[in-house]
Amino acid sequence: MAAPARTNPSDFLKELSGRPVVVKLNSGVDYRGLLSCLDGYMNIALEQTEEYVNGQLKKKYGDAFIRGNNVLYISGSKTKK
């Protein structure tokens, strides 16, 4: 079955709401959690957040807010939270 055609990144990001994501920062740190909300400036709110540095779990947070100018990319995660 072919994946549905996406016309722009906004459609992709809307599909990720409420799902597990990986947010990679410019510093190289990864945050993994459930995408709660996202705005036009790429400011991100995550729930059940875990912080990974060099692939190692460093800390767990309940909610986390990430400023958009620090974000390198957002990716859908295959792991379930």
Side-chain angles (χ1 to χ4, degrees), residues 2-44:
R6 294 185 183 107
T7 56
N8 62 48
S10 179
D11 294 338
F12 169 72
L13 294 171
K14 285 177 188 174
E15 287 179 15
L16 289 178
S17 184
R19 295 187 174 183
V21 295
V22 176
V23 179
K24 180 96 168 183
L25 303 187
N26 295 327
S27 65
V29 176
D30 290 352
Y31 287 91
R32 300 175 191 179
L34 298 176
L35 181 62
S36 177
C37 63
L38 174 78
D39 69 10
Y41 295 100
M42 210 65 140
N43 296 316
I44 299 167

Side-chain angles (χ1 to χ4, degrees), residues 25-66:
L25 303 187
N26 295 327
S27 65
V29 176
D30 290 352
Y31 287 91
R32 300 175 191 179
L34 298 176
L35 181 62
S36 177
C37 63
L38 174 78
D39 69 10
Y41 295 100
M42 210 65 140
N43 296 316
I44 299 167
L46 295 176
E47 298 173 348
Q48 301 173 22
T49 310
E50 298 174 338
E51 179 183 50
Y52 288 82
V53 178
N54 297 324
Q56 299 284 332
L57 177 62
K58 291 296 178 185
K59 191 160 184 174
K60 291 186 178 186
Y61 303 96
D63 295 333
F65 300 95
I66 302 170

